[in-house]
Amino acid sequence: METIISKAMIAGVQSVMPVEVTQHREVRSISIGDPVGAGIFRRTLNIVTYYKHVGDSGERGWLVAGWIKESLGRALTEQPLLCGRLRRRRTTTGEEDGLEVVANDSGVRLVEARFLTSLPEFFEMVKRDKGRAEAETVFWRDIDEVDPRFSPLFYVQVTNFESGGYSIGISCSILIADLLLETDFLTKWAKIQSSLAHSQTTLKPIFYLPPVKRDNFLNELPRSGSVLDRGEPLVFRAKTCSKMSPACMKIAVADRKTASADVFLFVNEQGDGENSTTKRDGMKVEIHTRDEVISDCDCVGDLEEADARVLDVSLAFGDKSEGHACWVGSISNGVVFVFPTTFGDTKSLVKSIVPCQIK
């Protein structure tokens, strides 16, 4: 008998832009031969954290969503690429020359939703069908393959449960996932949010959805099914040589027996953009499909395996956390994404995120 999972009902949608205009627009190059085949328009990193505020009877989540409009706007000033867009790169003659993400301040989507059951009842649904239940706590629309310029790369959904309790779910494109995993963006955002909530305990936020509007559900905003094709991410670390070349990183991944998957390599890149208002953000994404041959590396002997663990990341707002989850969406045919990182000391390492299919 199929488990019945209630649907989250969307009550409001807003766009969140940085509170200050981004003066120097960062640009991230995307190197890929077949973007549709590699799934770059669908693949996501998803994080959800559940909260229960003492004495909350169902109002807290709506207040939190109102403060998020301001706190996230402040936090985005340090990572404007999160509210950018994917676009087709063109040469000086107007010909298409691949894809890139540009920090153009187009905004993050903030979704406010209601779940018509209590938080304990929802957790029972998670036990019976984790994938379908938790998919209701995040919002994602696949990037438009034909014209991606208007598709957000980052969504935040605040879900309010009956009788108190709420969740904050994040979905972001895999192309910018390193900004959540390899920077302190989530920590800084949480600190800003907590300071706003504590300093305005007797005031409602400016962007507050009043009770009279919470029953006007937006049924014309369907979610993409990408988040249902999910895998729990495992983290592997491997030491490479000091060059940190793509070849070394690919070999590190292959040593983990994941060579049959599409590999998303986040590689350092420097250089100015096409004019004075754009600059490379220091990272580009190279996508290597499962059919490509791994290049030789003359320093393969320096490779050294390190620890492996489950990816454990959450958004630590001030209210009591009731649990969290993290998964990668759209993992069909296998996917790995790899970041250069520093672990413990100055050794050069790569971090590999391998989503494992839930059975």
Side-chain angles (χ1 to χ4, degrees):
M1 182 177 177
E2 184 179 5
T3 301
I4 298 176
I5 303 295
S6 301
K7 297 292 185 180
M9 311 300 289
I10 299 175
V13 179
Q14 303 181 61
S15 291
V16 183
M17 279 75 74
V19 295
E20 298 178 0
V21 176
T22 302
Q23 298 296 331
H24 299 284
R25 294 184 174 181
E26 299 173 357
V27 176
R28 171 172 291 192
S29 300
I30 311 298
S31 176
I32 175 64
D34 179 12
V36 175
I40 71 168
F41 302 107
R42 305 185 308 275
R43 285 173 165 161
T44 57
L45 174 69
N46 306 280
I47 303 168
V48 60
T49 311
Y50 305 95
Y51 305 89
K52 184 63 184 290
H53 186 67
V54 177
D56 177 28
S57 60
E59 189 68 13
R60 181 68 176 179
W62 302 103
L63 295 171
V64 167
W67 288 317
I68 282 179
K69 174 81 172 182
E70 184 176 351
S71 68
L72 183 55
R74 294 185 187 182
L76 287 171
T77 59
E78 295 193 23
Q79 291 293 352
L81 211 62
L82 290 170
C83 57
R85 294 293 186 268
L86 183 66
R87 70 182 183 185
R88 300 192 182 280
R89 184 171 57 245
R90 296 187 179 278
T91 64
T92 54
T93 60
E95 298 177 350
E96 287 191 10
D97 184 32
L99 294 163
E100 61 187 8
V101 178
V102 59
N104 58 6
D105 292 350
S106 290
V108 170
R109 289 289 186 270
L110 172 61
V111 177
E112 296 181 71
R114 285 182 61 188
F115 206 87
L116 303 180
T117 61
S118 68
L119 187 55
E121 290 172 329
F122 173 79
F123 285 149
E124 289 300 318
M125 294 179 188
V126 172
K127 291 178 182 178
R128 297 194 297 270
D129 194 331
K130 184 175 184 179
R132 288 172 57 209
E134 289 186 333
E136 294 297 321
T137 63
V138 295
F139 189 92
W140 173 257
R141 298 282 300 271
D142 289 345
I143 300 170
D144 190 290
E145 298 175 1
V146 178
D147 189 357
R149 294 175 299 165
F150 304 104
S151 297
L153 305 179
F154 190 98
Y155 290 85
V156 178
Q157 176 176 314
V158 181
T159 306
N160 297 270
F161 297 91
E162 297 296 296
S163 304
Y166 65 95
S167 66
I168 298 176
I170 295 172
S171 286
C172 80
S173 168
I174 207 75
L175 300 175
I176 54 174
D178 62 305
L179 299 180
L180 300 186
L181 301 178
E182 290 299 312
T183 73
D184 58 355
F185 173 79
L186 292 180
T187 300
K188 290 184 176 180
W189 175 23
K191 288 181 179 179
I192 297 172
Q193 175 78 7
S194 297
S195 66
L196 287 175
H198 291 156
S199 64
Q200 303 183 47
T201 52
T202 60
L203 300 175
K204 288 184 172 61
I206 297 174
F207 303 99
Y208 169 74
L209 192 66
V212 294
K213 294 187 177 182
R214 296 174 190 169
D215 293 326
N216 299 326
F217 301 128
L218 305 175
N219 298 321
E220 68 276 10
L221 290 175
R223 308 162 192 265
S224 296
S226 306
V227 293
L228 289 170
D229 178 22
R230 61 182 276 167
E232 302 294 340
L234 292 176
V235 178
F236 299 101
R237 297 178 186 271
K239 180 184 176 184
T240 70
C241 70
S242 59
K243 297 177 183 178
M244 292 296 289
S245 68
C248 294
M249 297 170 75
K250 282 187 286 184
I251 290 175
V253 175
D255 282 357
R256 291 297 183 175
K257 299 180 181 180
T258 56
S260 62
D262 294 330
V263 180
F264 287 61
L265 296 179
F266 292 74
V267 184
N268 288 320
E269 178 187 47
Q270 299 294 335
D272 296 330
E274 58 202 34
N275 55 55
S276 60
T277 62
T278 62
K279 63 177 183 180
R280 299 298 169 186
D281 83 320
M283 194 72 67
K284 68 176 179 179
V285 184
E286 294 184 2
I287 298 123
H288 300 269
T289 64
R290 64 188 65 85
D291 299 324
E292 293 184 44
V293 178
I294 296 178
S295 303
D296 292 332
C297 176
D298 57 8
C299 54
V300 64
D302 292 334
L303 287 172
E304 177 182 299
E305 295 185 354
D307 70 315
R309 60 183 174 85
V310 176
L311 182 62
D312 185 14
V313 60
S314 61
L315 188 58
F317 279 10
D319 293 341
K320 180 184 176 182
S321 173
E322 297 291 326
H324 66 273
C326 178
W327 72 94
V328 175
S330 189
I331 64 165
S332 294
N333 301 321
V335 60
V336 180
F337 47 110
V338 187
F339 314 109
T341 185
T342 301
F343 179 64
D345 52 29
T346 59
K347 293 181 180 179
S348 297
L349 296 111
V350 295
K351 176 190 290 184
S352 305
I353 310 295
V354 183
C356 298
Q357 183 76 52
I358 301 175
K359 297 182 179 180

